[in-house]
Amino acid sequence: MPVAFSAVPDSHLPSVEHLLSAAVNALGGSERQGQITMTKAVQRAVDEDEHLAVQAGTGTGKSLAYLVPSIRHAMDSDTTVVVSTATIALQRQLVDRDLPRLSEALAKELPHEPSFSILKGRRNYLCRYKATAGWPEEDEQDQLFDPREVSATGRMVQRIQEWAEETETGDRDELVPGVSEQAWRQFSVSAQECLGATRCPSGAECFAELARAKAGEVDVVVTNHALLAIDAMSDMSVLPEHDLVVVDEAHELVDRVTSVVTGELSDVSVSLAVRRVGRLIEQPIADQLLEAGEDLKALLAAAPAGRVDELPEVLGLTLALLRDTSARCVTALGPRGGDKDDPDKAGQRKAAFTALDEVHDTAVRMLEAYGHATEADRAEVVWLDSGTDRRPPTLRVAPLNVGGMLRERLFGDRTIVLTSATLALGGTFDGMAMQWGLGKGEWQGIDVGSPFDHPRAGILYVAKHLPQPGRDGLPQAYLDEITELIQAAGGRTLGLFSSMRAAKAATEALRDRLDVPLLCQGDDSTMLLVKQFAEDEATCLFGTLSLWQGVDVPGPSLRLVIIDRVPFPRPDDPLTSARQRHVAAKGGNGFMTVAANHAALLLAQGTGRLLRSQHDKGVIAVLDPRLATARYSGFLLGSLPPFWRTTDPAVPRAALKRLADES
């Protein structure tokens, strides 16, 4: 999509072209046209106060391309720029590597050395007061009956206590090795539970407040999509005042925002509210909420999992009972903000209000999700997750579309730059823009390409001769195809499967047929498995969703990426199926808008695992013939990098053998 920008206004600061050149030279890199184009586009979007979507392929150097104009803008306007990412890995890359090196490189070019910090949600910081005060217990019911869990949690608690005496930041990520959520919750509070810096006895030395204060003084704050959503959606500012946000890994934004605004109800959440309020109000009132929670527990245990399209009478009565009994408990607690002279009591009351509000507000939300005249009028979907051995059945509610929220609360009064290696689905940004709530004329889009020569470096092979994938596991023909491809490659294979069941089944079936090491996600931590895969060229690694997006293995250890099927969402996935039906009810194409976009995005992410450096070569093998034969195949193929394509099985085998012989 072409972009036409006006001239950049004059400034007392060096131009972004000059700053980028200085940075690249200082860092020992070389100029890349895509990086230069992106840098100029970001600067012009800032100058024109326009939203910008940038697709920048792997190897473009997009972090530098948006950081340079961001730093320039921060200094030019004496404000803070927010950079939001989806993954901890990118946050760490920015804060530990990219920004320190860039700041040093630009120090002589700018009025002062660029400053930066990282800001996370309050739950990620140790609460000094909770670590020493008599706050409510956080124990999980299922752990009370497992001595091993209790013992392990006890050891983690002791480690946190020792770490708390020496940490300077209170940042959970600095506690290595990590600890369980159960242990950490005993030392952290949510924003809703926090007493506030002025009322808390430890407010002056609060780690979360110190991090926020630092964030307000720097040029660039690095945060995550969840905190960005919380800041935008709530009336309480979490991030420092800002007029520019760069959303990296922007393809993840909608899912992360949806997670933030999804409500949950289970017997555990009700029990937690009862425990927190129990000693603060009269017992009969707390018992009413307890009984309502027991009703919910029995109801959810007997109900089938999946979407709840129509409100059953018994569920409606139970939700109304939870709404009313939690409201009575809130009334019985008295005025909010009481007990100013007793911090311990104030902390307990704040925790009780938080738990009760969650039960009450979620019950109200679920009741309001029903009663619309038509499917097109529905705003939210309710569904039941059947749970696991460690998680109880849980009722959830989520919006069918977060675009309106994003348009009003995030995009409304600031400039947003959205970037990723995969934004142009089917060759256009329109699908992602619609999900973000942006209409035509409200944004610009630009694809700056990739420094990789995709047609020369990679082959996209679609196994057109194979049968369509079924529901009964991997067909024997698929296993045979995988075996022959891996043998030709001499290992060096990343297998991306649509489900963990398929990944495990393929692993079990092929371990005896292959003479190379074969790892499967779940055998160990994903990080250790990827490390082992990268260090041993002959090793293969099979897995599912997180590997589609989270693996960065340049070099000869990865020559073959196998994708078992087009990654459409499961037909029984409550949220995506409801969104698909909602789009159709409003006159759109639900399949293409939701399912095909989902598949295209994952395919683009999965195929992006192959080429991670200029010297990488290899094959992507998609076993699902629908990528070559289905009516929507053109849309999916249009979302992928321009690899050389073939359906001839002999071509990828010969190419893989040549690469193996060269190694």
Side-chain angles (χ1 to χ4, degrees):
M1 184 179 298
V3 183
F5 291 105
S6 64
V8 180
D10 292 335
S11 171
H12 66 285
L13 296 175
S15 68
V16 285
E17 294 93 332
H18 175 83
L19 291 174
L20 179 63
S21 179
V24 170
N25 290 334
L27 298 177
S30 57
E31 288 193 349
R32 287 169 267 188
Q33 187 55 51
Q35 187 179 62
I36 296 170
T37 302
M38 179 174 174
T39 302
K40 292 180 179 179
V42 173
Q43 181 61 50
R44 288 167 183 162
V46 171
D47 293 334
E48 298 295 330
D49 193 22
E50 289 184 327
H51 303 311
L52 174 69
V54 185
Q55 177 163 286
T58 305
T60 300
K62 61 182 170 66
S63 297
L64 205 61
Y66 64 68
L67 286 174
V68 167
S70 294
I71 289 171
R72 185 182 186 278
H73 173 69
M75 291 198 183
D76 197 27
S77 59
D78 192 24
T79 188
T80 297
V81 172
V82 173
V83 175
S84 179
T85 78
T87 61
I88 293 174
L90 183 53
Q91 281 184 24
R92 287 177 175 163
Q93 176 187 315
L94 289 170
V95 174
D96 297 339
R97 191 186 74 182
D98 293 353
L99 278 165
R101 296 169 65 200
L102 180 58
S103 294
E104 184 179 354
L106 296 182
K108 295 180 180 179
E109 306 288 338
L110 295 167
H112 64 260
E113 182 171 334
S115 57
F116 57 91
S117 68
I118 189 168
L119 187 61
K120 304 174 183 178
R122 192 171 290 270
R123 274 279 192 201
N124 292 279
Y125 298 98
L126 179 124
C127 173
R128 290 187 187 273
Y129 180 56
K130 189 172 183 180
T132 57
W135 278 53
E137 292 294 326
E138 297 279 1
D139 38 36
E140 294 268 358
Q141 292 298 312
D142 58 351
Q143 290 199 345
L144 296 179
F145 301 97
D146 190 337
R148 292 171 299 179
E149 292 284 359
V150 174
S151 176
T153 299
R155 288 193 295 272
M156 291 179 186
V157 166
Q158 184 176 353
R159 278 184 51 227
I160 299 172
Q161 289 171 332
E162 294 170 353
W163 171 75
E165 298 296 322
E166 60 188 37
T167 179
E168 296 181 359
T169 66
D171 187 336
R172 178 180 180 177
D173 285 338
E174 293 183 8
L175 183 56
V176 180
V179 296
S180 69
E181 185 65 23
Q182 161 69 9
W184 182 253
R185 273 208 302 268
Q186 298 184 39
F187 296 86
S188 67
V189 296
S190 66
Q192 293 77 19
E193 295 168 322
C194 178
L195 290 173
T198 57
R199 297 180 60 202
C200 177
S202 301
E205 53 185 3
C206 171
F207 288 122
E209 291 297 325
L210 291 172
R212 285 187 64 189
K214 182 180 179 182
E217 299 171 352
V218 299
D219 297 307
V220 177
V221 169
V222 178
T223 189
N224 56 62
H225 294 351
L227 194 62
L228 180 68
I230 292 169
D231 180 75
M233 304 298 173
S234 68
D235 296 324
M236 184 172 53
S237 294
V238 181
L239 298 169
E241 189 172 335
H242 58 279
D243 61 4
L244 171 62
V245 179
V246 178
V247 182
D248 203 342
E249 301 173 307
H251 62 278
E252 295 259 27
L253 181 62
V254 167
D255 285 346
R256 300 304 170 103
V257 172
T258 301
S259 294
V260 166
V261 296
T262 295
E264 298 183 355
L265 264 184
S266 70
D267 68 286
V268 169
S269 60
V270 178
S271 297
L272 176 64
V274 172
R275 289 203 305 274
R276 288 187 171 179
V277 78
R279 298 178 184 177
L280 303 175
I281 65 174
E282 295 179 6
Q283 193 63 43
I285 299 177
D287 286 345
Q288 292 176 11
L289 180 59
L290 179 65
E291 291 170 7
E294 291 296 324
D295 290 347
L296 179 70
K297 181 178 181 179
L299 180 61
L300 298 188
R307 281 200 327 257
V308 186
D309 291 331
E310 302 296 332
L311 181 64
E313 182 179 5
V314 64
L315 177 58
L317 292 172
T318 303
L319 290 173
L321 191 59
L322 286 167
R323 176 197 62 196
D324 297 341
T325 54
S326 58
R328 289 188 202 112
C329 290
V330 168
T331 301
L333 271 176
R336 298 175 189 257
D339 301 299
K340 293 182 179 179
D341 299 327
D342 185 347
D344 285 1
K345 188 71 173 292
Q348 293 174 9
R349 283 168 50 80
K350 193 74 181 287
F353 275 122
T354 299
L356 290 169
D357 287 344
E358 183 177 346
V359 171
H360 175 271
D361 295 350
T362 306
V364 169
R365 218 175 128 188
M366 290 177 175
L367 288 168
E368 291 178 348
Y370 299 97
H372 300 288
T374 67
E375 177 63 34
D377 297 325
R378 192 188 293 263
E380 298 204 291
V381 58
V382 178
W383 75 94
L384 175 60
D385 183 337
S386 60
T388 64
D389 292 340
R390 299 185 58 80
R391 251 187 325 105
T394 301
L395 203 61
R396 293 190 168 88
V397 57
L400 287 166
N401 189 333
V402 298
M405 295 183 202
L406 289 172
R407 177 191 177 91
E408 179 183 351
R409 305 302 295 266
L410 179 62
F411 292 93
D413 57 358
R414 54 180 69 86
T415 299
I416 310 292
V417 174
L418 306 113
T419 184
S420 168
T422 49
L423 290 181
L425 304 181
T428 173
F429 293 92
D430 292 347
M432 295 302 298
M434 185 172 65
Q435 291 184 33
W436 298 327
L438 295 177
K440 292 187 181 300
E442 297 178 332
W443 56 281
Q444 298 276 13
I446 182 171
D447 183 352
V448 300
S450 167
F452 300 156
D453 188 348
H454 286 90
R456 289 181 177 273
I459 296 172
L460 175 61
Y461 160 58
V462 181
K464 187 178 178 181
H465 64 284
L466 292 180
Q468 286 197 17
R471 296 185 178 181
D472 301 326
L474 291 171
Q476 185 61 43
Y478 279 46
L479 296 173
D480 294 340
E481 188 82 17
I482 295 172
T483 300
E484 293 178 15
L485 287 166
I486 292 177
Q487 286 174 339
R492 304 179 177 89
T493 299
L494 177 65
L496 303 177
F497 292 84
S498 54
S499 69
M500 184 56 74
R501 186 179 69 171
K504 289 181 176 179
T507 303
E508 292 173 7
L510 296 179
R511 270 187 172 144
D512 293 336
R513 298 174 61 173
L514 296 170
D515 56 1
V516 294
L518 180 52
L519 308 175
C520 186
Q521 193 174 2
D523 291 346
D524 205 331
S525 75
T526 300
M527 183 178 69
L528 289 176
L529 289 173
V530 172
K531 184 174 183 289
Q532 189 176 345
F533 171 61
E535 290 176 349
D536 181 7
E537 287 187 20
T539 297
C540 302
L541 174 60
F542 287 1
T544 186
L545 190 59
S546 62
L547 297 187
W548 286 73
Q549 305 183 74
V551 176
D552 187 2
V553 180
S557 291
L558 178 50
R559 294 298 195 207
L560 172 62
V561 175
I562 294 177
I563 295 175
D564 70 328
R565 63 191 299 161
V566 175
F568 290 116
R570 289 168 54 101
D572 58 354
D573 180 88
L575 185 53
T576 54
S577 62
R579 284 176 168 171
Q580 190 168 326
R581 186 181 60 177
H582 183 67
V583 170
K586 294 173 76 71
N589 187 323
F591 172 78
M592 292 301 296
T593 301
V594 179
N597 266 330
H598 177 279
L601 185 58
L602 268 182
L603 271 178
Q605 287 285 310
T607 56
R609 299 311 96 203
L610 181 66
L611 304 183
R612 308 304 296 177
S613 76
Q614 291 278 11
H615 304 293
D616 288 346
K617 294 181 179 181
V619 171
I620 295 160
V622 180
L623 308 184
D624 189 339
R626 292 177 296 178
L627 188 57
T629 61
R631 55 181 173 79
Y632 49 77
S633 62
F635 174 80
L636 298 179
L637 290 169
S639 307
L640 305 182
F643 294 106
W644 193 82
R645 298 174 189 166
T646 184
T647 58
D648 182 351
V651 173
R653 287 161 173 74
L656 290 168
K657 286 177 181 176
R658 284 196 301 273
L659 289 173
D661 291 340
E662 293 172 4
S663 298

